[in-house]
């Protein structure tokens, strides 16, 4: 496929572009930052004219795309003022989705976020492991935008039954060089309780994108995307019992099994995370 990737020079974006190219797809990187070259286009996604023009085709680069992977965003709460986060992320996503519709691009995969599950879980989750079945619980402006983006995708795919939009609720993205810090988390179970001790290796994040591009059908769907294990050496059941003693464990979990359920992603997309921090230490 010919795939445009927004936010291609970001932490997850770098892994995704490598993974897509490794699978044989042609990729054009769209971002505000990056090195000039035949596979990169500098673009401001807040400007709808630039977005729709780029997706319709770029002289000497592309005559259009089969799919778009939208990863660009202010990546977390607390980096910019709330209104700046809302304005940048919401407008960029609307522009990308709308430009895809105008350009006739029917396959979109984009970065939603684990934060819509209720992070940082100052209010207990309804049950553990958490999954996509309970209503979104945004607790920050960043998370609110991610929730609204999903609602936007629901309506756009209702308007166009041939359109496929897949929201991947990525956990905290990590690269191998980040893993040296993981043993320090064991000192205090509350240090990483904010996302139920979850993470996702960037290479497995790329795998999830590839699986969604290849297998997602028309309409909208959402998937939690996390590593198969937690960031902790302690057992997952013990962590949940200590930090969330009043929360029901709805099923038994493995010794270090993620508490961000990836069962749906495994079942529907064929997602199968291959990388763990435990293999690097």
């Amino acid at each position: 496929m010919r795939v445009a990737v927004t936010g291609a020079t970001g932490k997850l974006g770098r892994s995704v572009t490598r993974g897509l190219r490794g699978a044989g797809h042609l990729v054009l990187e769209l971002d505000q930052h990056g090195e000039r070259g035949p596979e990169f286009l500098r673009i401001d996604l807040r400007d709808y004219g630039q977005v729709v023009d780029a997706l319709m085709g770029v002289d000497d680069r592309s005559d259009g795309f089969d799919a778009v992977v939208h990863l660009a965003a202010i990546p977390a709460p607390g980096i910019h003022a709330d209104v700046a986060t809302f304005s940048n992320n919401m407008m960029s996503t609307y522009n990308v989705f709308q430009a895809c519709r105008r350009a006739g691009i029917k396959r979109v995969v984009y970065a939603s976020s684990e934060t819509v599950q209720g992070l940082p879980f100052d209010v207990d989750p309804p049950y553990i492991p958490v999954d996509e079945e309970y209503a979104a619980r945004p607790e920050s402006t960043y998370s609110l935008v991610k929730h609204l983006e999903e609602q936007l995708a629901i309506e756009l795919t209702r308007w166009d039954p041939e359109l496929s939009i897949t929201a991947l609720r990525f956990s905290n993205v990590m690269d191998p060089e980040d893993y040296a810090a993981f043993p320090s988390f064991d000192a205090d179970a509350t240090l990483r309780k904010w996302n139920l001790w979850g993470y996702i290796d960037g290479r497995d994040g790329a795998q999830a994108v590839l699986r969604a591009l290849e297998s997602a059908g028309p309409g909208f769907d959402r998937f939690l995307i996390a590593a198969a294990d937690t960031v902790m050496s302690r057992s997952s059941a013990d962590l949940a019992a200590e930090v969330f003693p009043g929360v029901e464990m709805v099923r038994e979990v493995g010794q270090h099994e993620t508490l961000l359920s990836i069962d749906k992603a495994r079942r529907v997309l064929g997602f199968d995370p291959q990388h763990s921090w435990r293999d690097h230490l």
Side-chain angles (χ1 to χ4, degrees):
M1 288 184 283
R2 299 165 301 169
V3 185
V5 179
T6 76
T9 65
K11 190 171 190 178
L12 179 59
R14 294 191 296 271
S15 292
V16 168
T17 54
R18 284 194 298 268
L20 291 176
R21 287 179 177 134
H25 300 297
L26 301 177
V27 177
L28 181 65
E29 303 174 17
L30 306 181
D31 212 324
Q32 286 187 304
H33 309 285
E35 296 295 326
R36 179 181 177 183
E39 298 175 328
F40 174 81
L41 180 69
R42 185 165 287 109
I43 189 171
D44 184 347
L45 295 179
R46 297 168 298 181
D47 182 337
Y48 177 71
Q50 292 186 43
V51 180
V52 72
D53 190 46
L55 295 186
M56 293 291 287
V58 181
D59 290 347
D60 302 323
R61 306 287 179 87
S62 171
D63 58 358
F65 298 94
D66 302 303
V68 169
V69 177
H70 175 45
L71 307 176
I74 292 172
I79 298 174
H80 295 273
D82 288 341
V83 68
T85 299
F86 187 95
S87 177
N88 181 87
N89 290 4
M90 194 74 236
M91 200 72 250
S92 296
T93 297
Y94 175 80
N95 286 346
V96 170
F97 288 179
Q98 180 72 348
C100 286
R101 294 180 64 227
R102 297 304 186 210
I105 299 168
K106 300 296 186 181
R107 188 166 295 271
V108 181
V109 176
Y110 81 99
S112 186
S113 169
E114 63 182 356
T115 62
V116 301
Q117 303 291 147
L119 277 64
F121 293 119
D122 293 334
V123 176
D124 287 352
Y127 50 80
I128 295 175
V130 301
D131 59 23
E132 304 89 344
E133 296 305 310
Y134 65 87
R137 296 171 52 177
E139 301 288 356
S140 66
T141 295
Y142 170 83
S143 181
L144 176 61
V145 172
K146 291 300 183 182
H147 171 56
L148 294 175
E149 289 171 350
E150 292 189 3
Q151 296 305 117
L152 173 63
I154 289 169
E155 300 306 331
L156 293 182
T157 54
R158 180 175 63 84
W159 292 356
D160 182 353
E162 295 182 359
L163 179 62
S164 172
I165 303 181
T166 304
L168 300 179
R169 293 179 175 178
F170 289 107
S171 188
N172 189 194
V173 178
M174 297 289 182
D175 289 331
E177 55 266 30
D178 298 318
Y179 293 143
F182 278 33
S184 67
F185 301 148
D186 280 334
D188 182 352
T190 65
L191 288 176
R192 295 276 308 191
K193 70 94 181 175
W194 54 270
N195 76 337
L196 299 182
W197 308 280
Y199 75 106
I200 179 69
D201 187 288
R203 293 164 293 182
D204 284 325
Q207 181 208 145
V209 169
L210 183 61
R211 300 281 191 187
L213 282 174
E214 293 176 342
S215 65
F220 171 76
D221 212 344
R222 57 177 74 88
F223 300 91
L224 266 169
I225 301 296
D229 61 345
T230 71
V231 302
M232 304 292 278
S233 298
R234 294 175 54 190
S235 81
S236 299
D238 286 350
L239 290 166
E242 176 184 335
V243 180
F244 300 101
V247 178
E248 178 188 10
M249 289 283 290
V250 294
R251 63 171 175 81
E252 292 186 6
V253 295
Q255 176 73 0
H256 299 121
E257 182 180 345
T258 179
L259 299 177
L260 300 168
S261 174
I262 55 175
D263 292 349
K264 181 181 177 183
R266 287 184 185 275
R267 183 178 70 254
V268 177
L269 299 179
F271 174 61
D272 183 21
Q274 298 295 303
H275 301 281
S276 169
W277 69 275
R278 299 169 210 278
D279 300 329
H280 292 264
L281 296 179

